[in-house]
Amino acid sequence: AGATTAETIAITYALAQLGRPYLWGGTGPAAYDCSGLTMMAWARAGVALLHYTGDQIHEGNVVASYATISLGDLVLVPGSDGTIANPGHVGLYIGEGLVESAVDVQYGIIIQPYAQFVSGGLSGIRHVG
């Protein structure tokens, strides 16, 4: 409820990938990396994103805080190989305080609580829809 058509399409696509494996550089349909998942979810909704977390931090518009987050927003964090200034991981906000992302080869594509997703720091939230 409350999502635009584009947000609904992006989130629906992402949720259909839940449980699929992680593959560095992957853009589906069999496996994804984090930015590949967000790129393909938004591509399904007609929004073009670059396939690199370091580029996605500059896409769309800045969201000031979690208080103003929207469905489908990109949530960017340092991850295991980035920093606050240069994020290494991105997920898709799917509502209800949850973020979906392609985590790693052990877990694949999963859903996590927002607080857990950003526990290592928040690089930014971007509205692209």
Side-chain angles (χ1 to χ4, degrees), residues 13-117:
Y13 180 88
L15 288 173
Q17 312 319 307
L18 190 61
R20 295 216 174 155
Y22 175 93
L23 175 65
W24 190 85
T27 58
Y32 299 82
D33 68 7
C34 62
S35 59
L37 177 63
T38 55
M39 179 184 76
M40 295 308 292
W42 275 108
R44 182 60 59 105
V47 177
L49 299 177
L50 296 172
H51 182 198
Y52 174 58
T53 302
D55 289 327
Q56 289 184 6
I57 188 69
H58 303 291
E59 306 245 31
N61 299 305
V62 172
V63 175
S65 72
Y66 179 74
T68 57
I69 200 166
S70 296
L71 295 168
D73 282 354
L74 305 179
V75 182
L76 297 109
V77 298
S80 62
D81 62 349
T83 65
I84 293 290
N86 187 21
H89 190 57
V90 60
L92 190 71
Y93 184 72
I94 60 170
E96 303 295 322
L98 301 171
V99 176
E100 181 178 359
S101 71
V103 177
D104 60 24
V105 295
Q106 180 181 2
Y107 295 106
I109 298 175
I110 65 169
I111 294 173
Q112 297 172 279
Y114 176 87
Q116 181 184 6
F117 189 80

